[in-house]
Amino acid sequence: MKKRIAVLMLAAVMVVLALAGCGGKKDASPVVGTWKATEVEAMGVNVKVDEYLEQMGMGDMKMEMSITDDGKFSMDMAGQQVEGTWKFSGSTLTLTAEGSDLDAEYKDGKITVDESGVKVIFEK
């Protein structure tokens, strides 16, 4: 009788553990990850980031962004460090830093940030 109760208890524990494993973490947002700028577009002209930075006299700088699943982001735009929070809805990624919002577009696995007519395109 004790053996039968022990087997039933073990079975119940296994069912509980199996069900707990099914409730795993939801899929991460597609924007979560490390992004590197690959292109800059201004006045209809596309230029590779390396060329753009070289032309601007900033050849040793980088342009990248890190978006984490806890709702925070950090960005290095040619030496300018920015940190803040983000929200993603539909195809719009809203970056909030220092009290200001900047909307970016997520499309085809790329994030495009448009600031005053200059577009910076990021890829993972």
Side-chain angles (χ1 to χ4, degrees):
M1 183 69 148
K2 285 184 181 183
K3 187 174 182 180
R4 185 173 181 188
I5 291 175
V7 168
L8 287 174
M9 293 295 285
L10 179 61
V13 169
M14 291 177 71
V15 168
V16 169
L17 291 175
L19 290 175
C22 293
K25 193 174 175 182
K26 67 178 183 174
D27 291 339
S29 171
V31 299
V32 170
T34 301
W35 298 82
K36 294 186 185 229
T38 56
E39 294 178 63
V40 175
E41 180 184 322
M43 297 186 296
V45 177
N46 280 28
V47 179
K48 298 286 182 196
V49 166
D50 295 341
E51 294 173 29
Y52 174 78
L53 291 172
E54 193 66 40
Q55 290 172 0
M56 301 300 286
M58 299 182 283
D60 58 341
M61 299 286 184
K62 58 185 173 180
M63 297 172 79
E64 58 187 34
M65 174 171 43
S66 177
I67 300 174
T68 57
D69 61 3
D70 64 354
K72 296 180 182 176
F73 81 93
S74 61
M75 185 183 294
D76 182 345
M77 293 294 281
Q80 299 282 345
Q81 303 290 326
V82 178
E83 292 183 356
T85 59
W86 64 271
K87 290 182 182 174
F88 182 62
S89 179
S91 64
T92 302
L93 170 65
T94 302
L95 304 171
T96 303
E98 299 172 4
S100 297
D101 289 345
L102 175 65
D103 286 337
E105 179 185 35
Y106 174 79
K107 183 178 178 183
D108 299 329
K110 297 178 183 181
I111 294 175
T112 302
V113 176
D114 188 344
E115 181 65 30
S116 303
V118 176
K119 294 180 181 178
V120 180
I121 301 162
F122 291 86
E123 296 182 47
K124 279 189 181 179

